[in-house]
Amino acid sequence: MPPRVRAHGARLRAAGSFPARGHLLPRRAPRPRRRRALGGPDGAGAVIIESILTTVNERGAANFAPMGVEWEEDEIVIKPFLETTTFKNLEATRAAVVNLTDDVMLFARGAISDVQLPARAAAVVRGVVLEAACSWREVRVEAVDATPPRARVVTRVVHRGFQREFLGFNRARHAVLEAAILATRTHLLPPEQIRDEFARLQVIVDKTAGPRERDAMALLTDYVRRTRPEQSAAR
Ligand SMILES: Cc1cc2nc3c(=O)[nH]c(=O)nc-3n(C[C@H](O)[C@H](O)[C@H](O)COP(=O)(O)O)c2cc1C
């Protein structure tokens, strides 16, 4: 069992009915006790952008995790579950790099295991930039609301970097992203639902993927086949 699944399983036990991994709460669920970022004039929530978030601990060791963040020009809100390394690092070193990449293999690998990826030092904050990033934002933590089960970490953008073009929409890439999120929910969803969703997503991958997306989907498919629901929930 990959360590990060174990960590979230532990969270599930501790929190009872709370979700165990990322994106398990309805994204637009009203949470009146918290300040919410406003994304537009109609007061709707900010758009969620899927990133590979890099953080470092006090000793400088880097952590790479897929995270959906609330995106605004100068403020980015990160919502890690409290047991994640990401949350601990954000509290400890008060900085992160929000990496935007079109390489969905990194989301697939990050969803099912602890990954170490090629990276270099960030320009302004204490942290690292993913080599595979198309562009990135370096952010500093301004406020932390650590109300369980999921923190709300408000950050300020202090540097923007660009490395290469982010090409247009590709259905297979989006399908792999959805599959990666499903892979983090095997302990919460009925196996038939996971199987049906994967079958639907596989059709899109077959039609529109390149080799990288096909490999990423195969990795996730293999993972969900091997992971029995009780494995992640019971630990
Ligand atoms: C596309 C995607 C988005 C995710 N978003 C979040 C998130 O917003 N918050 C979170 O805690 N976990 C999220 N996860 C799960 C984490 O990436 C990961 O499983 C774990 O929660 C964090 O890893 P860490 O302990 O190394 O920080 C997401 C996973 C995927 C595939």
Side-chain angles (χ1 to χ4, degrees), residues 121-200:
V124 170
V125 301
R126 194 171 161 203
V128 297
V129 175
L130 201 61
E131 289 292 351
C134 297
S135 63
W136 71 93
R137 302 289 189 271
E138 299 182 19
V139 300
R140 282 198 214 286
V141 172
E142 288 204 323
V144 176
D145 175 352
T147 309
R150 196 173 179 186
R152 183 173 174 82
V153 181
V154 179
T155 69
R156 175 79 22 206
V157 176
V158 293
H159 181 76
R160 296 170 173 78
F162 176 87
Q163 187 155 264
R164 66 188 171 86
E165 196 176 10
F166 198 130
L167 287 177
F169 295 125
N170 168 252
R171 293 180 64 205
R173 289 179 183 167
H174 289 275
V176 172
L177 266 186
E178 292 303 325
I181 290 169
L182 282 170
T184 68
R185 298 180 178 177
T186 52
H187 55 300
L188 293 172
L189 298 174
E192 315 78 59
Q193 185 179 341
I194 302 258
R195 204 180 46 233
D196 292 352
E197 294 261 2
F198 262 74
R200 185 181 66 79

Side-chain angles (χ1 to χ4, degrees), residues 22 78 82 87 109 112 133 156 170 177 197 199 225 228:
I78 306 165
L82 296 190
F87 176 67
R109 290 177 57 202
I112 63 175
R156 175 79 22 206
N170 168 252
L177 266 186
E197 294 261 2
R225 279 198 188 126
R228 293 193 310 277

Side-chain angles (χ1 to χ4, degrees), residues 203-215:
V203 174
I204 298 169
V205 170
D206 290 343
K207 279 186 189 158
T208 65
R212 190 75 169 161
E213 293 76 29
R214 258 193 292 279
D215 287 351

Side-chain angles (χ1 to χ4, degrees), residues 4-5 7-8 20-23 27 48 50-51 53 55 63-69 78-89 107-108 110-115 150 176-182 184:
R4 68 179 50 200
V5 173
H8 287 268
R21 291 187 70 104
H23 284 184
R27 287 182 169 181
I48 308 279
E50 306 302 339
S51 71
L53 197 87
T55 51
N63 187 72
F64 302 79
M67 290 270 157
V69 298
I78 306 165
K79 296 176 293 180
F81 284 91
L82 296 190
E83 76 279 11
T84 59
T85 303
T86 296
F87 176 67
K88 289 168 193 147
N89 287 353
F107 288 89
I112 63 175
S113 61
D114 284 319
V115 281
R150 196 173 179 186
V176 172
L177 266 186
E178 292 303 325
I181 290 169
L182 282 170
T184 68

Side-chain angles (χ1 to χ4, degrees), residues 15-39:
S17 61
F18 283 127
R21 291 187 70 104
H23 284 184
L24 304 174
L25 294 176
R27 287 182 169 181
R28 302 280 189 262
R31 300 170 83 175
R33 73 185 188 284
R34 297 183 184 187
R35 173 184 172 271
R36 292 196 64 81
L38 298 181

Side-chain angles (χ1 to χ4, degrees), residues 28 36-48 70-73 75:
R28 302 280 189 262
R36 292 196 64 81
L38 298 181
D42 59 353
V47 66
I48 308 279
E70 289 182 5
W71 189 273
E72 289 188 88
E73 195 50 29
E75 184 183 279

